[in-house]
Amino acid sequence: MGQLFSGTSRREALCSSFTGYFQKFKAENKIISQETITSVELYLTLGDLQQVNDTITYALRELASAPLNVAVIGESGTGKSSFINVFRGVGHEEETAAPVGVVETTMRRTPYRHPNIPNVVIWDLPGIGTTNFPPKDYLEKVKFCEYDFFIIISATRFRKNDIDLAKAVSIMKKDFYFVRTKVDIDLENEKQCKDTFGREAFLQHIRSHCVNMFKKNDLDVPPIFLISNKNVSDYDFPILKVMLKNKLSTHTHRNIMFSLPNITEAVIERKCNSIQQFIWLEAFKDGVLTSIPAVGILKDSDVEKLKTSLNHYRVLLGVDDATLEFMAKDSQVPVEQLKKITKSPYLLETKNRKTLEGMFVKYIEKSVSANDRLLATGLYFRKAFYLQLLLLDTVAEDAKVLLRKTHSRN
């Protein structure tokens, strides 16, 4: 057995802290299983520090390495396979490419790995509505319930199958992006039919029509992207690629809810609570092996780690630069205006260091006054831990401010 606690009172305090912390969350909102929680509580009762640390470390590692299954769905001929190839950076002629063609080419669900995003499997599903895959049999044939996240591909115009797929995803309480392909063809056709033509106005017309169709069918409006699989540097494709890579790089099937758009402040709070659990668990497993205070002075290496954490939180809560660009285009608000009302991107700049220190002191005082469990149990956590919580809270507040700003425009 590993190193044992020297004091019964500290052991009891640790057990109380761990048990009490996770009692705050409903079972479906806990990022680790009840089995893991019970194991940690047992090792805490026995006073086995190393097993506590190892069990939490293993659980967090499992979360990080869990595969994420992403399904690309839609009608045949909308460009699903082409989209997968472009997103993966694979040429259509390459051996590992998804087959494309003018006839139905995807006859069975086919998995593809992304070369730069570990643990992500992108599934190319057969098109819905063909003779081989009629709507009434489609969901069962493609094993619809096995996927964690969906990308619905549509083209030319909004169809009933698009709505039916969106409803099926929503019923499973899973999330999706809506991608309208071939907008270059739409633009060219519009240009030929009308004497006066405005590109941006026409694209906004397509986007607004998609939004209205989701609302008309009582569905939450997902992120909507207008793209061309041929002109990948134009339209929304650059933003879509960055946003998708950010989302898929930081999510597992157990916390895919992070990809849900910030449609309400309650959603933002759910995301924030999950991230807080990660931070708390990391601090707890490190803290049980620490017998002396480890507050100290914040070092340059700590600041670099905090910058990484800050960027991570911005991606998870939809405050990163790529998402801001998408929000600006979607809400027709200048991106500079959105950046101006956010605080988190500038927190760790040298010129703001004194302001951050002042915020940090107030944050600690608030934690103590709220009888923070981490402090009350005698566990000593590094200064950087509390700064991570402060960064997260600041990012969450930015997300809420942006939600109010963009929502008021709709």
Side-chain angles (χ1 to χ4, degrees):
M1 183 178 292
Q3 178 186 2
L4 300 180
F5 290 114
S6 57
T8 302
S9 59
R10 184 166 185 256
R11 182 175 67 225
E12 292 174 347
L14 289 169
C15 289
S16 174
S17 175
F18 190 88
T19 302
Y21 183 78
F22 281 102
Q23 283 179 343
K24 299 187 301 181
F25 302 99
K26 295 180 180 179
E28 63 270 21
N29 294 330
K30 296 175 183 178
I31 67 170
I32 57 175
S33 67
Q34 185 57 48
E35 181 182 359
T36 298
I37 293 173
T38 302
S39 295
V40 171
E41 290 172 343
L42 173 61
Y43 291 128
L44 284 171
T45 302
L46 295 174
D48 194 332
L49 289 171
Q50 193 59 56
Q51 282 290 356
V52 170
N53 185 287
D54 292 347
T55 302
I56 296 176
T57 298
Y58 179 79
L60 293 175
R61 188 181 298 126
E62 284 289 292
L63 280 173
S65 62
L68 177 68
N69 291 294
V70 180
V72 179
I73 57 179
E75 292 191 347
S76 179
T78 54
K80 300 188 304 299
S81 299
S82 293
F83 170 80
I84 291 174
N85 290 338
V86 174
F87 177 61
R88 293 171 62 233
V90 176
H92 297 323
E93 71 288 347
E94 295 185 37
E95 186 178 346
T96 59
V100 299
V102 295
V103 297
E104 187 178 5
T105 54
T106 305
M107 301 303 294
R108 58 184 177 84
R109 63 180 195 143
T110 309
Y112 296 93
R113 292 274 180 180
H114 194 287
N116 301 319
I117 309 178
N119 308 317
V120 169
V121 181
I122 304 171
W123 291 84
D124 188 5
L125 301 193
I128 186 174
T130 65
T131 54
N132 293 307
F133 295 92
K136 65 184 183 69
D137 302 323
Y138 183 78
L139 300 185
E140 182 179 350
K141 281 188 174 182
V142 300
K143 302 183 179 180
F144 209 66
C145 62
E146 292 186 3
Y147 311 104
D148 305 301
F149 183 68
F150 295 81
I151 301 171
I152 299 178
I153 305 290
S154 180
T156 310
R157 67 178 186 272
F158 215 102
R159 300 177 185 273
K160 180 179 182 300
N161 283 330
D162 298 329
I163 287 296
D164 289 343
L165 289 173
K167 286 182 177 179
V169 175
S170 299
I171 288 172
M172 294 189 299
K173 299 187 182 302
K174 295 182 180 180
D175 311 310
F176 65 97
Y177 283 171
F178 185 79
V179 177
R180 171 73 177 268
T181 61
K182 303 183 180 181
V183 293
D184 53 333
I185 297 176
D186 293 330
L187 281 169
E188 188 60 32
N189 291 338
E190 180 74 6
K191 197 173 183 179
Q192 292 177 3
C193 294
K194 294 188 177 180
D195 296 331
T196 58
F197 171 77
R199 168 185 157 122
E200 293 305 319
F202 181 67
L203 291 175
Q204 187 57 41
H205 172 72
I206 295 177
R207 194 185 304 276
S208 298
H209 175 67
C210 294
V211 169
N212 291 334
M213 289 300 293
F214 283 112
K215 290 182 177 180
K216 182 179 177 180
N217 288 275
D218 298 321
L219 290 166
D220 290 331
V221 180
I224 297 170
F225 302 90
L226 311 182
I227 71 165
S228 165
N229 287 329
K230 293 181 179 180
N231 305 323
V232 296
S233 61
D234 205 352
Y235 311 107
D236 292 339
F237 214 134
I239 297 175
L240 171 59
K241 287 183 70 174
V242 174
M243 286 182 64
L244 257 182
K245 285 185 177 179
N246 284 344
K247 299 296 184 187
L248 300 182
S249 296
T250 52
H251 308 320
T252 68
H253 72 285
R254 299 198 67 171
N255 62 358
I256 189 61
M257 53 81 62
F258 288 129
S259 63
L260 186 70
N262 293 337
I263 54 176
T264 66
E265 292 194 16
V267 170
I268 296 172
E269 286 298 327
R270 279 179 57 205
K271 296 179 181 181
C272 200
N273 286 337
S274 293
I275 303 170
Q276 286 173 348
Q277 289 180 63
F278 274 101
I279 297 173
W280 193 89
L281 281 168
E282 286 284 359
F284 191 93
K285 75 180 181 65
D286 293 339
V288 293
L289 297 178
T290 304
S291 58
I292 58 173
V295 179
I297 300 173
L298 198 62
K299 301 176 183 178
D300 289 340
S301 58
D302 294 323
V303 174
E304 290 304 312
K305 291 178 181 178
L306 287 172
K307 286 181 180 178
T308 300
S309 296
L310 176 61
N311 291 333
H312 183 64
Y313 304 152
R314 291 182 65 209
V315 169
L316 292 178
L317 293 178
V319 189
D320 57 289
D321 291 342
T323 305
L324 287 180
E325 285 187 38
F326 172 77
M327 292 172 65
K329 181 177 290 189
D330 191 50
S331 60
Q332 295 184 289
V333 175
V335 67
E336 292 77 15
Q337 191 173 335
L338 295 183
K339 289 181 177 180
K340 191 177 294 184
I341 62 176
T342 60
K343 298 178 181 179
S344 57
Y346 319 106
L347 272 178
L348 296 177
E349 291 182 355
T350 304
K351 62 181 180 181
N352 294 328
R353 198 64 58 82
K354 287 188 177 180
T355 302
L356 178 61
E357 290 175 359
M359 293 172 63
F360 175 68
V361 171
K362 291 181 180 179
Y363 191 85
I364 289 293
E365 291 174 351
K366 180 182 176 181
S367 296
V368 173
S369 63
N371 192 28
D372 187 281
R373 286 185 177 275
L374 297 175
L375 294 173
T377 60
L379 278 175
Y380 298 108
F381 294 92
R382 297 181 59 180
K383 194 177 193 179
F385 163 71
Y386 290 101
L387 278 170
Q388 283 191 17
L389 292 182
L390 173 58
L391 296 182
L392 175 60
D393 283 354
T394 306
V395 173
E397 185 56 37
D398 280 351
K400 293 175 184 177
V401 170
L402 288 167
L403 174 66
R404 297 179 200 124
K405 178 70 175 179
T406 54
H407 183 72
S408 65
R409 303 279 301 190
N410 296 330

